[in-house]
Amino acid sequence: MNAVQQASTAQEKPQWGAVFSMALGVFGLVTAEFLPASLLTPMAASLGVTEGVTGQAVTVTAIFALLTSFFSASATRKRDRRGVMLLFSLMLIVSNLLVAFAPNLTFILVGRVLLGIALGGFWTLAAATTMRLVPEAMIPRALSIVFSGVSVATIVAAPMGSYFGHLLGWRNVFVAASLIGVVGLLWQIVALPKMPPQLSGRGSSLFSLMRRPGMQTALLAIILVFSGHFAFFTYLRPFLESVTGVGVNGLSAILLGFGVANFAGTLIAGVLLERNLHRTLIAMPLAMGLLGVGLVVMGSAPLVDAVLVALWGMAFGAVPVGWSTWITRTMPDEAESGGGLLVASIQLAITIGAAAGGVIFNVTGAKGVFMGSAVALLIATLTIYAALRAKPVMA
């Protein structure tokens, strides 16, 4: 079958090449999104600004990903999904090249705006697009392949960005990221079938879903968890360099340990969630909050810090899977719209976490950021406990 067959045919026979091309697209987007976290120090030095200011490259991406997640589905509802996804992949390439050759911070922020639009749009449509590539019985397998791109990016982006940034320079790292985007775009051109828009779908708006009983409390908990994590993750390198005192090799090893543990946590999450969804949702932010306190207390012990960072990565691996599972169980009738709401909440949380982390970092340093993350996660734990205890219908 060729790349321009109709979506109805794709539903009869699985299009695994298209599914893997989507996974590569997700990998490229998530890798690009978090590269600044591993390159923060050299980027700031090269641009002549503080690390806190450079960290806003993460913030601006999250802001535009958030805005795009609200409007991309409605704005493109009359467009073939194949063309829309290819456009987002092209924007990923242009974004990375703008950052790689940026003469100043302004050009970097423009590139990161493009990345935010591509990220928010691709993520909002990814699940629905994947569902049109395989028969209904194979949808869970296809989605697990696409979302595996996130876990692989978590392993690769931070340690490899840090290592090759030291070896080749941070600009060349973004050039390499653009090449990943080129491969993904070419694969999608070949593999993705035509997918005419499905204008008959009704679907609830994100704002109407927010008015459902218990949803606002759950969203507050989600924002607290992800804000706490991304404040921690954005300023992890400055913490390890200034507080723990590790060099580039130690830094790369710790970040690699975080990524591998995060991937393992994603795999373990399935078993934990099958046994008890609520306990998993409560236990993960509680563990992360306690680990944050431990890092502040034991910040000058590299081996201990490496273990604590890895455990944090493992705990966080279960968080996105857990809340995605919660969405499907809570609103099975509106799982796609609920997924969009989850994406919007996560992007808002990244914005809050990176922005607040930058302010705290400039005032108190990396230890203050980690303690703030720990407090946010412990408050999130209490919020989740109260929400699930008071709203048994949310199970």
Side-chain angles (χ1 to χ4, degrees):
M1 295 185 182
N2 57 44
V4 294
Q5 62 194 305
Q6 298 298 324
S8 58
T9 306
Q11 291 176 350
E12 295 170 4
K13 184 176 180 180
Q15 303 293 295
W16 292 118
V19 171
F20 279 102
S21 77
M22 294 282 291
L24 183 57
V26 169
F27 169 75
L29 285 163
V30 176
T31 296
E33 182 179 16
F34 296 118
L35 274 181
S38 62
L39 299 169
L40 204 60
T41 303
M43 287 179 70
S46 173
L47 297 168
V49 296
T50 68
E51 291 163 325
V53 172
T54 309
Q56 302 316 305
V58 177
T59 306
V60 72
T61 301
I63 291 173
F64 280 86
L66 168 65
L67 295 175
T68 307
S69 69
F70 279 111
F71 303 113
S72 59
S74 59
T76 62
R77 64 186 301 267
K78 297 182 180 180
R79 304 293 181 183
D80 187 299
R81 285 299 180 256
R82 179 178 186 268
V84 173
M85 302 307 280
L86 293 179
L87 175 62
F88 290 139
S89 293
L90 179 61
M91 293 175 68
L92 164 66
I93 299 169
V94 175
S95 165
N96 284 325
L97 291 177
L98 277 174
V99 174
F101 297 102
N104 52 48
L105 184 62
T106 301
F107 276 78
I108 287 180
L109 294 180
V110 171
R112 301 295 291 183
V113 166
L114 282 179
L115 178 64
I117 296 172
L119 184 72
F122 200 100
W123 266 117
T124 299
L125 302 178
T129 301
T130 304
M131 291 176 183
R132 299 177 66 180
L133 298 174
V134 297
E136 183 177 356
M138 296 182 178
I139 287 175
R141 189 192 313 176
L143 288 175
S144 70
I145 291 172
V146 172
F147 294 149
S148 70
V150 180
S151 296
V152 177
T154 302
I155 295 174
V156 171
M160 298 301 283
S162 173
Y163 179 77
F164 285 107
H166 176 72
L167 197 65
L168 305 174
W170 67 267
R171 294 182 184 274
N172 287 324
V173 173
F174 281 97
V175 172
S178 71
L179 295 178
I180 295 173
V182 170
V183 175
L185 175 63
L186 293 176
W187 194 349
Q188 290 160 19
I189 289 174
V190 172
L192 285 178
K194 280 188 176 180
M195 290 174 281
Q198 297 176 324
L199 301 179
S200 59
R202 182 176 58 85
S204 298
S205 70
L206 299 182
F207 300 103
S208 65
L209 292 179
M210 289 173 62
R211 292 193 291 268
R212 291 195 176 191
M215 180 57 68
Q216 293 177 16
T217 305
L219 290 178
L220 173 61
I222 291 170
I223 290 171
L224 284 169
V225 172
F226 282 90
S227 294
H229 169 72
F230 284 107
F232 159 86
F233 187 72
T234 302
Y235 294 94
L236 177 56
R237 175 170 181 163
F239 178 89
L240 293 174
E241 289 180 330
S242 64
V243 179
T244 307
V246 299
V248 65
N249 291 332
L251 174 67
S252 298
I254 292 175
L255 293 177
L256 178 61
F258 173 91
V260 173
N262 180 259
F263 181 72
T266 303
L267 299 179
I268 295 170
V271 177
L272 297 177
L273 293 167
E274 286 177 1
R275 293 184 177 180
N276 196 305
L277 172 61
H278 288 181
R279 287 181 183 175
T280 304
L281 290 177
I282 293 170
M284 294 305 105
L286 174 60
M288 292 162 66
L290 294 177
L291 289 168
V293 174
L295 282 164
V296 173
V297 173
M298 303 292 294
S300 58
L303 289 178
V304 174
D305 284 3
V307 172
L308 295 179
V309 169
L311 290 174
W312 181 300
M314 181 175 290
F316 181 71
V319 172
V321 182
W323 284 108
S324 297
T325 303
W326 180 86
I327 287 288
T328 60
R329 292 188 184 181
T330 305
M331 50 181 72
D333 57 322
E334 295 287 359
E336 183 174 337
S337 296
L341 184 59
L342 179 61
V343 170
S345 300
I346 292 173
Q347 293 303 325
L348 175 60
I350 296 173
T351 306
I352 295 172
V359 173
I360 296 172
F361 182 87
N362 286 334
V363 175
T364 66
K367 277 192 173 183
V369 176
F370 276 32
M371 185 56 71
S373 296
V375 171
L377 287 158
L378 294 175
I379 294 174
T381 302
L382 296 175
T383 304
I384 297 168
Y385 176 78
L388 300 181
R389 182 181 178 88
K391 300 284 184 181
V393 71
M394 292 165 63

